[in-house]
Structure formats: structure tokens, C-alpha cells
Amino acid sequence: MAVMANTAATTPLAAPTKARRVSRPWGQWSLRAVALIYLSVMLLLPLAAVLNDGLSGGLSGLWADITRPAAWAALRLSLWTAAVMTVINTIMGVLTAYVLVRYKFPGRSFLNAIIDIPFAIPTLVAGLMLVVLYGPQTAVGGFLKQQFGWQIIFAPPGIILALLFVSFPFVVRTVQPVLMEIDTDQEDAAATLGASGWRTFRRVLFPAIAPAVISGALLSFARALGEFGSIIVVAGNFPLRSQTAAVYVLSQIESDNQRAASAVSIVLLTLAFSLVFVVDFIQRRQEHDA
Amino acid sequence: MSIVLQDLVKHIGAHTVVDHVSLEVHDGELLVLLGPSGSGKSTILRIIAGLIPADQGRVWLHGRDVTDLSPQQRNTGFVFQNYSLFRHMTVADNIEFGLASRHVPKAQRTAKREELLALVGLAGLGGRYPKQLSGGQQQRVAVARALAFEPSVLLLDEPFGALDVKIRAQLRQALKEIQQRIRVTTILVTHDQEEAFELADRIGVIDRGKLLEVGPPTALYRSPQQEFVATFLGGANLLAGQAKAGRVNLGSMELSNAASYTTVDPEGRLEVLFRPEDLMLATQREELTIPVLGQGVIEEVLFLGTLQRLRLRLQPLPDTWHLPPEFGETGVPIQIARIPRSDGHLDFQVGQQVWVGIHNFHILPRIPMRLAIGLDEHTNAEVLLNYSALLARITNGPLTVIAVAEDRADAAQLSKYARDNLMAHTGEVNYHIRAGRSPEELVRDLKQGAYDLLVLAEPRKIAPRAETNLRELVRRSPLPVLIVKGEHASIRRILFCTAGGEPGKRDIIFGGRIARRAGAATTLLYVDAATVRAARPWITNHLEEGALTLRNQGIQVGVKERHGVIIEEILQEIQQGEHDLVVIGRHLETAQTRFAQTDLASEILQRAECPVLIVTGDLNRLG
């Protein structure tokens, strides 16, 4: 009886939905078509244009464009500064996330709020701040140059600092929610089993947050490869010395060498795409695990 | 002694989660800490493991003071409620974790792991991950992990909480066997009394951070010393009994073999406990071969498999009542458990008249009302102390004088004055000296000590400071507060004010305790403030229920209605009726009453000429 009553109750509800679907099938398809056309025009078309342009000299032409000394140096500089930044950012980001989640201290919510600042302020301004702080004429910059012979601005250290600044939130914000979900009982259990703090982190906590750490790291690396605004301010535009790939693309466009610009862009695009796919894969697996 | 806890105290915020707990657990013993959720039992376990620091007190494990050691150094095996297995490790790695932390060689670890997997009945499952196991299997892995490094003690925090009933029963048996085989000293925390009975060598009952009683399950069940323990463990019928010339009377029956009891109540009152299975039912009085308690009507019959549970209501019994007193009911409610006969013979129906006999009972000492006396520099000390001595004589309870002053020497002086004044008082008196701000220090003492009533007095002379202190105390006191006004040598007539509408149940039950002990006559007053007179049956009803509650306990009650301005009518009634104590309830504080300070209680307090009892906060024990 109960089952019968149930069916009777649901049927009148289900009927109108079905009727509407049958009467206007094109409503559903038109919505999908709009989304697909929009995506093509906005994303795929420009991509195709760049690919077409970069490959207009054939594969060998592309290779020649990429291996030109200035281009090659720019790509290398971009890759190694981004890599160094990613290592530092990953370690410090995990640490910051841990402190924010596990400890209570005055100013915690303030600290939590300012982590997103790099997302909010223009990257040009971020670069400017670093120049004002570390420039050769300033107190801090001058001191570092005189005492240790370290040049920050217009040199790779400046690039790394700028990259650290603009990509700081990535690791913190991916690791933080995962950490929050992990019960403190896990750490307590490890403590009663005699594990030191480091061992607990390495064996218990890290395996649980590793996927989040890796995706955070890859995202910040991808972000760093394309960073332009802060770097042009901090590093200037000196070919072979402080010119990153993104800045190189700009200089090639300005000197009317569009094909060289496209070639380097294709390299950047390929890297970015592969990273996004890897992150997507990790996150899917993480969801599957949970 | 494997585990010794000495005077542990833990506060979380303003809450005392663990309240002076001392406990000794013998070698190889399985002790169960049993208490309702939020009673602080898990906190005690975490303090032993070192996961939470105690504010006060010490912990010894096998004669070693571990109070200042980290959890890693304490060597305790801990099983968490949700098991907290490491998800990214196999079962084998989970179990070996404690050994690996201690740098035990691989070969030894493997041997130990296999031994434990066999012990918990999971041999061959070492390669699985926790999520591939059922809840019961996960729990066994957690036990194995906690035992792998041969801990000095095993601590289990609600280990069966997340399992379904059937598996729970199986695992309980398994755990008991494991514990007996390896003889590890164990503390298990649970809120499930069935679990406690089945597993425990001894049970410790905890309520609101206090360890009330510790003992073997049967002893705690059959002869508890405290009301909470009696009612928390299994079903309990508690009635007020009467001791007379070495015998104990319960209604019209005399209990045999009741020689050994201690009663501290001046009227010879004590509490008689009988379990649902201590009773027998019969349709005819003659069928009962045991002492007969009385006749009643069955109100409910529940079938529970092996057992049948019945609720019935006895006709009113002379000079006895149910504890705690019920509000607005006649007769005595009784629960009975019996084994129904499989042939259906002698089954009882709802509405049937039956006779009830008792074949077993236990007598609990009746705890007297404990008075806290708040004394500061502004208090009219003489009035306060005289009245307190009167109250203590009536209730025959211990007095605690809490003397508070900004300066410690002044507080000591106040305490000395009280001592001189109470010289003639024969009962037990304690003195607490506290330096600090009066309301703050007093409330702190109230929260720590075990009291039932706070007694204060009006200020000696009009001082705004004293007024605000008094008001703050009334507002913040966790106990009912009695404020003494003027000299009164006796309590003969008590007025219950029910002006707001319904008479508060708490006011009537708590005020009734004093009225009964003082032998005072009571009046329930209702003031109708409405200009248009109309019959309000629900109010009459409520007043009748209130009166019944008092009458059930043998208290003389009158009901009165007046019409007019509430406060004026109450004051007039106090004068005309020559009442010498006014009882008023205090509703939950709202922002409005807090700032306006014009609620009825404060108004009566200001203008009445006699002592005022304001019933507020949380009442521990009623009756």
C-alpha cells in the first residue's frame, strides 16, 4: 500500500517536466550550442591563430625561432626562476596553511585575510613595491649590495621575489581546506604511538595533503611562467640577462617580429596546458579517493 | 597500582570539565568510566595520555609521575572513538607504526604484527587499506595498533560508539578476552551502561566532571550511595521513606532487615531504592507472599523480548512520595520489569488494577540541603548569620560561610566575626576566605563547591555599590538565592508568587523542600492584572497542580487569587498573610530585564519586608 501511495504522489509532479521536454527539445540544444560557440570564439580561435602563426615557417622554423639565443635564454630564465619559486612557495605555503589551521593566536584571522592580497592588487604595483624596497638606491637594497654584493632588482633574485609575491596564495589556499578536514585525532594518535612531530608530519599528515600540495605547486608554477606585470618592473627588459619568456614575447611584438613571439608563446601554452591537465588529473583522483 | 590520578582539575573556558578527580586502577584491571555525554570522561582519558594538560593534579603510571611528560614519553595505548587509523598506510603499517617510532628492527616488527593480527582475528588482512575494511574490522585494527608496542596502559574512548548493535556485542566479548589474556591495565570510557556492566571489573560513574562513585558493577547497581548513580545505572524507583525507632516505613508498609542505614535528615527521611525487577505483581492481594507496597493501575506495557516493562501508578501512599517530586500528579509512579510467561498466562493489560509487592530494596542516605553563606563588607552580617543558623537547623545541612573582601586580612576578619557569631550553632560549619571582588569570587566558589542554596543578606546601610553587588549576584548565581531582610526567628508561613501566569515548577519543588522541613504552611498566590475579569481555566488548573505537588509531600497548602497591580497585590498579601518567606521564580534573563532592572523579582526584593527566595539557575537535586 505504501509503495502504491508513493507512486501516485510522484506521478503528477513528474508529468509536467516530461511534457515540457518533449515540446521544446531545441531549448536544451540551443543552450549547449551557445556555450560551445562562445568557447570556440573566445578560446579556440585565438589559440589556433597563434599556432598557425608560430608554425608558418614549418616545424624547423619554429625550432629555429625557439633556439635563437635571446629566446632560449628567456625560456631558460623563466623556467628556472619559476622552479626555484615553486620550491620555496610550496614549503612556506604548507607551513603557513598548517599554522593557520592548527594554531590559535592573536591576528590569525587578519593573517588569513591578507593571504589573498596578491590576487587583489595589480601585479605592476607588486613589482613597484619590490623596487621601492630593494632598489639599489634604497636603504635595504643598498645595504645588501654593499655588504654581500647581492643585486636584487634587475636580476634573477628580483624575479623570484616577484614570483613568490604574486603566487603566494596558490599553495596556501589549496592545502588549507584539506588540512581543515583532517581530524586532529590523527596527529594525537601518532603522538600516543610515540611518533615525533616530524615523523607525524612525514608519515601521517603529508600523505593526506600531498595531492593538494602538488596541485598547489603546479598551479603556482603555471602562474609564474606567464607572469609579466611585476617582472617588467622588477627585472627590466635586458635580453640574455633578465628577460623572461613573457617579456621576450612583448619585445618581439614591439620589434614587429610576430612569428618569433608566437613561437615562444606556443612553448608557454604547451607547458601551461600540460600543467592544467596534470592538476585536473590529481584532483579527480583525490575526489575519487575521498 | 598501574594508574593513579590525583586531584585532577581541568577548566575549559568558564566550565569545569574535570572536577577534582582522584582514582586508582589496579594492575590488569579493566575500569569503565561511565557517564552521560559531556560529563568529562573523555577529557580524563586524554589527560592520562598527555594529549591535554591538566590545570591541576598529577598522573602516575606504574609508579612514575608522568604529569609533565609528552604523550610520546608516556607509553599509553589509545583507541580513539573514530579509530583514527592512518588512511594512507596498510593495516600492517598501521599496526607497526608504534614499533617503528621506537626503532624496533624490521624482523621483530613483522613478528609482533602477525601475532597481533592473529590476536584480534584479522590474520591475513595486513595488506589491506583501512577503507577496505568494515567498521568492526577497523576497530580491531585500532586495538591492535594500540597494543603493538606493549603499552603500560590501554585507554579506550567509546570504542564501540560507531558500530551497530550486533557487532558491538561481538566485539565487546572479543575485547574482554584480549584484555584478560594480556592483562593490560585498561580504562574504557562509555555512556552505555550495558557495555559498562558487561566489561568492567569496576565502574566509575562520572557526572559533570565529578567522579561520584567507584565500585564493582553489582555493588554499584544494588547498593549505590548517591541518587545520580542509582538513577543512571538501570531503571530505578526512588521513594521517600521514613525512619522511626530503628525501623523504616514506606507508606503503610514496614521494611524488614532495614537495620543498617544512615540518615542525616532531622525528620528521619531517607531514600528507598528498588529496581524494576525487585517488584512483583498480582491481581489479588492474597497472591503476594512478600510485603505489599500498594495497589495501582497499569498505565503502559512494553514488550522488550525477554523482558516486559510496565509503568503503573500506585494510589497515593501515606507519608511517602516519588523522588524527585512530580509536578501536578497524584499517586506514585512505579516502573516494573518482569519476565512474561511464554504461555501468555498472567499477562497484564493497560488499565488493569494490580497489587505490587517488594522483595528487595536498598536505602540511600538522604543528602541534606547544603547552604552557602555569602558575606562581604557591605553585608548586614548579624542578620545574615542568625537567619543562616535558623535555616541550617531546619534543613540540618552543613553551612559554608564564604567571606569575601578586596583585602585578604579583611576577609579573614569577616570570617572570624562569623565564627564568633555561630559559636552556639551545633551543626557543621565551614569557612572559606577569599580575596577579590565580591560577586566574582563568590560565584567562583559556588561553581566549585557543592551547594544547594546561596544565602545573602541586604546591605547594612544604603550603599549603591552594595546594591549593584547584590543584583549582580542574584543574576549570576548558579543556585537559588535567598536574601535575608530583617530579623526573623522562624519560618511558619511561605508565600509562592505565581503572578506572571503559571507557577514555575522549580520554584514550587525547591520552595517545597524548605516548607516541608520547616513544617510551614504555604500559600500559592496568583495575581490577575487584567482589567476585565474572565475565567481562566488553565491558570486554575496550574495552581491546582502546584498545590497538589506540595500536598503530596504532606505540606499544608492554600490557593489565593487577587486582582490588581501585581507588585502591590503581592506586597499587600505578604503583610496581611503575615508571611515570613516569599518564593519567586526568575525567568531566563532577557536583554530587556537586564538593562531595565525592573523585573518582578528585583522589585519584590526591594520593597518586601521579609526574606525572599529567588529560584533561578540549574537545580541539582530536587525533593
Side-chain angles (χ1 to χ4, degrees):
Chain A
M1 272 313 285
V3 176
M4 297 261 296
N6 224 334
T7 337
T10 45
T11 321
L13 273 175
T17 328
K18 206 169 180 187
R20 201 174 60 203
R21 252 187 216 161
V22 171
S23 69
R24 291 193 300 168
W26 48 269
Q28 293 278 326
W29 290 110
S30 64
L31 206 61
R32 287 172 216 194
V34 167
L36 282 172
I37 292 166
Y38 180 78
L39 198 70
S40 312
V41 173
M42 297 301 293
L43 275 174
L44 300 179
L45 220 57
L47 277 174
V50 169
L51 271 176
N52 185 45
D53 190 40
L55 287 168
S56 57
L59 271 177
S60 57
L62 176 72
W63 181 247
D65 281 335
I66 294 170
T67 48
R68 276 161 56 166
W72 193 241
L75 278 170
R76 268 183 26 215
L77 181 66
S78 271
L79 284 171
W80 83 258
T81 50
V84 170
M85 176 283 296
T86 303
V87 171
I88 300 174
N89 192 19
T90 305
I91 294 169
M92 293 315 292
V94 171
L95 195 113
T96 311
Y98 187 82
V99 168
L100 280 175
V101 172
R102 284 290 188 264
Y103 296 104
K104 286 201 165 58
F105 52 92
R108 185 175 77 145
S109 53
F110 176 71
L111 182 60
N112 193 23
I114 61 167
I115 282 172
D116 286 330
I117 280 190
F119 279 158
I121 59 176
T123 54
L124 275 170
V125 177
L128 177 73
M129 294 194 295
L130 291 174
V131 170
V132 170
L133 181 62
Y134 296 113
Q137 279 80 40
T138 66
V140 179
F143 174 79
L144 290 174
K145 175 95 184 173
Q146 267 182 4
Q147 291 295 312
F148 306 102
W150 291 353
Q151 175 153 5
I152 308 288
I153 299 305
F154 305 122
I159 298 175
I160 294 172
L161 279 175
L163 293 179
L164 277 173
F165 186 93
V166 297
S167 55
F168 180 59
F170 283 101
V171 177
V172 180
R173 289 295 186 233
T174 44
V175 173
Q176 205 178 8
V178 182
L179 260 182
M180 278 199 276
E181 272 182 27
I182 299 176
D183 202 343
T184 46
D185 276 357
Q186 293 262 321
E187 287 151 73
D188 283 349
T192 61
L193 293 167
S196 62
W198 172 241
R199 186 173 148 79
T200 304
F201 178 78
R202 200 164 48 88
R203 297 292 317 275
V204 177
L205 215 50
F206 189 74
I209 60 170
V213 173
I214 295 169
S215 17
L218 292 180
L219 282 173
S220 63
F221 185 79
R223 171 80 174 79
L225 282 184
E227 175 56 21
F228 175 82
S230 62
I231 289 177
I232 190 111
V233 179
V234 168
N237 189 357
F238 305 109
L240 299 172
R241 209 179 84 205
S242 67
Q243 191 182 50
T244 63
V247 179
Y248 173 84
V249 170
L250 172 80
S251 65
Q252 291 311 305
I253 292 171
E254 282 184 331
S255 50
D256 259 344
N257 193 352
Q258 195 178 302
R259 208 186 77 182
S262 294
V264 171
S265 296
I266 287 173
V267 177
L268 290 178
L269 277 171
T270 314
L271 282 168
F273 266 116
S274 2
L275 288 171
V276 167
F277 280 123
V278 171
V279 169
D280 191 54
F281 173 74
I282 292 172
Q283 280 172 351
R284 261 171 216 263
R285 225 183 54 171
Q286 201 178 357
E287 273 164 32
H288 180 76
D289 272 1
Chain B
M1 275 323 142
S2 290
I3 305 174
V4 178
L5 309 181
Q6 190 196 342
D7 202 30
L8 289 181
V9 177
K10 177 73 189 176
H11 302 281
I12 294 179
H15 235 68
T16 307
V17 192
V18 178
D19 197 350
H20 297 277
V21 167
S22 298
L23 177 68
E24 293 184 354
V25 188
H26 309 295
D27 293 338
E29 187 181 26
L30 198 164
L31 183 123
V32 173
L33 285 180
L34 176 66
S37 47
S39 57
K41 49 197 191 313
S42 293
T43 310
I44 295 176
L45 219 54
R46 281 167 185 265
I47 290 173
I48 299 173
L51 297 172
I52 308 180
D55 294 342
Q56 187 188 316
R58 308 211 73 81
V59 178
W60 275 275
L61 298 178
H62 291 282
R64 183 170 67 130
D65 185 346
V66 298
T67 316
D68 303 317
L69 297 185
S70 69
Q72 285 88 346
Q73 296 166 304
R74 292 194 188 197
N75 207 34
T76 56
F78 203 112
V79 175
F80 291 81
Q81 186 171 6
N82 55 7
Y83 319 133
S84 291
L85 295 179
F86 305 135
R87 283 187 298 153
H88 302 273
M89 287 182 212
T90 59
V91 167
D93 286 342
N94 263 286
I95 295 176
E96 284 179 39
F97 191 85
L99 294 168
S101 300
R102 289 169 174 75
H103 308 292
V104 174
K106 181 77 192 154
Q108 252 171 286
R109 270 169 21 206
T110 315
K112 189 74 196 173
R113 174 238 298 167
E114 289 306 320
E115 180 194 325
L116 278 161
L117 278 173
L119 182 73
V120 299
L122 292 177
L125 296 185
R128 299 248 182 119
Y129 280 89
K131 68 176 177 190
Q132 295 170 303
L133 300 179
S134 72
Q137 289 172 325
Q138 289 185 18
Q139 193 254 23
R140 284 184 275 169
V141 173
V143 172
R145 184 179 70 175
L147 289 173
F149 54 96
E150 290 169 8
S152 61
V153 298
L154 180 61
L155 308 170
L156 303 129
D157 188 1
E158 304 255 7
F160 308 105
L163 301 171
D164 57 57
V165 181
K166 202 170 171 190
I167 297 176
R168 213 183 277 195
Q170 287 170 7
L171 285 189
R172 252 186 240 157
Q173 206 45 50
L175 181 75
K176 182 85 183 166
E177 277 168 29
I178 292 170
Q179 197 269 338
Q180 278 172 351
R181 195 169 327 159
I182 56 177
R183 301 299 303 162
V184 61
T185 309
T186 305
I187 298 183
L188 184 146
V189 154
T190 183
H191 63 269
D192 181 342
Q193 43 147 320
E194 198 185 321
E195 199 171 297
F197 279 133
E198 192 171 330
L199 291 170
D201 294 322
R202 284 191 304 154
I203 295 176
V205 179
I206 296 193
D207 182 40
R208 288 184 247 185
K210 284 198 172 73
L211 183 60
L212 299 177
E213 242 175 278
V214 184
T218 37
L220 280 195
Y221 184 72
R222 295 258 50 121
S223 45
Q225 294 305 303
Q226 294 186 38
E227 201 180 297
F228 180 85
V229 179
T231 50
F232 191 69
L233 290 179
N237 297 297
L238 268 179
L239 297 190
Q242 175 76 53
K244 249 183 225 150
R247 292 160 203 225
V248 175
N249 288 324
L250 190 62
S252 55
M253 77 185 255
E254 188 177 292
L255 301 174
S256 51
N257 306 325
S260 59
Y261 63 85
T262 46
T263 173
V264 272
D265 196 296
E267 311 157 77
R269 285 281 171 204
L270 29 74
E271 298 182 9
V272 181
L273 164 74
F274 38 97
R275 297 292 181 186
E277 65 276 15
D278 291 340
L279 297 164
M280 207 180 235
L281 293 183
T283 44
Q284 302 296 320
R285 191 184 174 120
E286 295 72 43
E287 290 171 35
L288 290 171
T289 52
I290 50 173
V292 174
L293 183 62
Q295 195 184 20
V297 178
I298 296 178
E299 291 188 331
E300 189 183 48
V301 180
L302 283 175
F303 172 70
L304 301 170
T306 325
L307 279 183
Q308 192 179 39
R309 199 172 275 279
L310 299 95
R311 244 174 4 92
L312 63 86
R313 186 166 289 277
L314 295 178
Q315 285 157 10
L317 299 171
D319 203 26
T320 186
W321 58 89
H322 183 260
L323 292 171
E326 282 185 306
F327 187 81
E329 301 273 0
T330 37
V332 180
I334 296 282
Q335 346 169 12
I336 295 172
R338 60 190 289 274
I339 299 171
R341 280 175 50 167
S342 50
D343 57 7
H345 186 61
L346 257 188
D347 264 350
F348 294 97
Q349 264 90 49
V350 173
Q352 199 176 344
Q353 286 269 352
V354 286
W355 289 90
V356 180
I358 298 187
H359 55 70
N360 207 349
F361 66 92
H362 169 69
I363 290 175
L364 289 170
R366 187 135 172 82
I367 299 169
M369 196 179 277
R370 296 154 299 182
L371 306 175
I373 316 299
L375 184 61
D376 67 16
E377 300 123 298
H378 303 294
T379 317
N380 191 338
E382 206 183 326
V383 165
L384 175 68
L385 294 168
N386 285 344
Y387 199 84
S388 302
L390 168 71
L391 268 177
R393 271 200 304 281
I394 289 170
T395 59
N396 201 32
L399 273 178
T400 304
V401 177
I402 305 162
V404 189
E406 293 286 352
D407 191 75
R408 193 161 191 91
D410 292 346
Q413 193 65 38
L414 280 171
S415 174
K416 188 180 174 306
Y417 179 80
R419 203 181 284 267
D420 294 344
N421 239 270
L422 289 171
M423 206 77 107
H425 182 68
T426 47
E428 176 190 344
V429 191
N430 306 303
Y431 297 92
H432 291 182
I433 296 168
R434 281 182 166 267
R437 214 174 76 82
S438 158
E440 221 110 276
E441 286 300 315
L442 207 51
V443 169
R444 193 165 295 161
D445 199 309
L446 294 179
K447 281 186 177 159
Q448 279 174 15
Y451 310 110
D452 299 299
L453 175 65
L454 171 64
V455 187
L456 302 170
E458 58 180 348
R460 240 174 315 151
K461 49 181 190 282
I462 295 159
R465 176 101 200 92
E467 285 284 321
T468 34
N469 275 1
L470 191 64
R471 200 172 290 148
E472 189 181 336
L473 268 170
V474 171
R475 185 161 58 77
R476 289 180 52 188
S477 169
L479 306 171
V481 188
L482 195 155
I483 297 106
V484 188
K485 303 189 81 176
E487 291 280 356
H488 292 265
S490 63
I491 303 176
R492 280 166 328 211
R493 303 173 67 81
I494 300 180
L495 181 70
F496 289 84
C497 298
T498 62
E502 65 169 84
K505 300 179 181 181
R506 291 172 154 191
D507 329 356
I508 287 183
I509 290 173
F510 190 85
R513 282 174 78 177
I514 295 179
R516 179 162 46 74
R517 286 167 161 142
T522 60
T523 306
L524 290 185
L525 172 68
Y526 170 68
V527 182
D528 190 353
T531 42
V532 183
R533 291 198 185 183
R536 289 187 178 75
W538 65 92
I539 285 166
T540 327
N541 220 349
H542 233 94
L543 282 173
E544 267 318 308
E545 285 180 0
L548 194 58
T549 306
L550 293 171
R551 217 170 277 136
N552 280 347
Q553 301 173 52
I555 301 164
Q556 193 188 327
V557 195
V559 177
K560 242 185 188 175
E561 277 193 50
R562 293 180 80 113
H563 299 267
V565 181
I566 294 172
I567 174 74
E568 301 303 334
E569 293 301 318
I570 289 176
L571 290 171
Q572 259 187 31
E573 175 60 34
I574 294 172
Q575 242 182 8
Q576 290 168 6
E578 294 177 355
H579 296 285
D580 36 26
L581 179 63
V582 181
V583 181
I584 184 153
R586 193 186 164 86
H587 298 281
L588 279 180
E589 182 176 273
T590 62
Q592 208 182 355
T593 56
R594 181 168 180 175
F595 290 109
Q597 296 174 337
T598 53
D599 60 320
L600 197 61
S602 352
E603 220 169 328
I604 292 177
L605 187 54
Q606 249 166 32
R607 296 178 53 191
E609 291 295 318
C610 68
V612 180
L613 171 61
I614 301 175
V615 181
T616 170
D618 170 31
L619 302 184
N620 292 346
R621 296 174 307 112
L622 296 172

